[in-house]
Amino acid sequence: MEVIILSSKKEVCKEAAERVVALVNRRHNAVLGLATGRTMLGVYKALSDAYRKERVDFSSVVSFNLDEYLGLSPDDPLSFHHYMHEHFFDHVNIKQENRLIPDPLPEDVDRECEEYEDAIKKRGGIDLQLLGIGKDGHIGFNEPSSSLRARTRVKTLTNETLIDNFGNTDGPRFAITMGIGTIMEAREIILVALGAEKADAVSRTVEGPVTASCPASALQLHPVAKVIIDTAAAQSLKRKDYYMWVWEHKRQVEKPHLLYKKRGE
Ligand code: GLP
């Protein structure tokens, strides 16, 4: 797991967005796994800016959202359909038919989940999955105790998540979410976390045991998982200085002229 600690929220979002831009420029028909939540707003803003500046073209990209609340209409302001339109789809050129999000009002929920999994397979699997993280360590809506091998299915949200997302426990109780097993099949994963309120979840994800009590800790088993966070979200990491040293020197290795300059000094 690579841990990248940056000093501001803006830098974190830009770093995550630039990795998406680089992938799409390399692979025009990339399959992206997309997330929602406040954390992702800056990432979508940076991606929309890159599109506006003609630095990236999403016309052949396919996207799959991680999750959606059950029972809300897609135009309900609380739905992830609405969120995605407002913050991303309305600002870039991903084709309508290539923006996939679980149906919040399916006739047959189990069939919807199976078809979502099939659609991901049919498109060749996810190249890059973006993730936020809940304060309890959930990714997508895989709440603590979720099976680390589960596929797309319905999950019941915890009171903590309802309060975090709606301010009370009256919001939608159920959601369709990709499972940890689905997420782990993405070729690359970038988890973004911002702020001190995520510090505990981040430390359990990166330095804790792999456990269903912190579903994001399963990412320790992924070969290409990156955690991009600000200093506040990194504050409880024991090996923070090491991660920072590695990141700084890795950038020097990627730019060998910096090393040569140092040698010549
Ligand atoms: C929701 C989403 C998650 C997201 C989490 C954190 O529960 N299902 O995908 O990571 O919220 O949201 P925020 O970034 O607003 O803290």
Side-chain angles (χ1 to χ4, degrees):
M1 198 182 261
E2 185 178 7
V3 182
I4 300 170
I5 302 169
L6 301 169
S7 47
S8 70
K9 294 186 179 190
K10 203 169 171 189
E11 277 175 85
V12 168
C13 294
K14 186 127 202 299
E15 184 67 34
E18 282 307 313
R19 285 160 189 268
V20 177
V21 168
L23 168 69
V24 174
N25 284 334
R26 230 172 34 238
R27 189 166 182 180
H28 295 285
N29 58 352
V31 178
L32 302 178
L34 300 179
T36 49
R38 283 151 290 202
T39 310
M40 300 312 294
L41 293 175
V43 178
Y44 291 135
K45 165 92 176 52
L47 285 173
S48 304
D49 288 349
Y51 170 70
R52 218 186 33 253
K53 291 179 185 154
E54 298 181 10
R55 294 184 49 237
V56 62
D57 171 14
F58 293 98
S59 59
S60 302
V61 162
V62 176
S63 69
F64 284 92
N65 266 76
L66 275 171
D67 46 14
E68 176 58 290
Y69 297 107
L70 266 181
L72 296 182
S73 112
D75 52 13
D76 188 310
L78 296 179
S79 76
F80 289 158
H81 274 77
H82 187 274
Y83 171 106
M84 288 308 295
H85 278 279
E86 184 176 355
H87 300 296
F88 191 45
F89 293 150
D90 290 352
H91 309 282
V92 296
N93 64 338
I94 301 183
K95 291 192 183 112
Q96 174 76 39
E97 65 270 27
N98 288 341
R99 310 161 178 177
L100 291 107
I101 307 181
D103 181 353
L105 298 167
E107 264 177 39
D108 179 334
V109 180
D110 292 338
R111 203 176 62 215
E112 169 64 19
C113 295
E114 270 169 40
E115 286 177 1
Y116 205 64
E117 286 281 329
D118 289 346
I120 295 173
K121 279 195 198 98
K122 218 170 104 196
R123 305 292 187 132
I126 291 171
D127 291 307
L128 172 58
Q129 177 68 57
L130 289 175
L131 296 175
I133 186 169
K135 285 195 273 183
D136 58 4
H138 74 244
I139 47 178
F141 271 129
N142 294 282
E143 297 282 29
S145 81
S146 289
S147 155
L148 299 184
R149 288 195 145 172
R151 315 300 308 189
T152 301
R153 73 221 181 287
V154 174
K155 282 298 293 180
T156 307
L157 308 187
T158 61
N159 281 347
E160 190 185 2
T161 296
L162 287 174
I163 289 167
D164 286 348
N165 292 4
F166 304 109
N168 55 54
T169 54
D170 303 332
R173 256 291 154 186
F174 305 102
I176 293 185
T177 180
M178 283 186 204
I180 304 285
T182 321
I183 293 169
M184 291 291 281
E185 278 174 12
R187 291 180 190 93
E188 184 180 353
I189 296 178
I190 292 180
L191 182 144
V192 181
L194 299 171
E197 62 170 21
K198 299 293 173 67
D200 181 53
V202 166
S203 98
R204 295 175 69 210
T205 298
V206 176
E207 295 177 340
V210 174
T211 166
S213 297
C214 177
S217 64
L219 301 182
Q220 292 176 29
L221 301 174
H222 193 282
V224 198
K226 294 177 181 66
V227 172
I228 309 182
I229 53 181
D230 63 1
T231 36
Q235 70 191 13
S236 304
L237 289 172
K238 285 196 210 90
R239 283 174 281 277
K240 188 169 48 185
D241 294 343
Y242 169 72
Y243 308 133
M244 290 171 86
W245 196 95
V246 171
W247 170 241
E248 193 180 320
H249 291 81
K250 184 177 167 163
R251 289 169 83 184
Q252 288 187 3
V253 172
E254 280 166 2
K255 295 189 177 99
H257 61 279
L258 293 178
L259 288 178
Y260 296 139
K261 231 189 230 165
K262 280 214 163 142
R263 274 194 211 144
E265 275 166 11

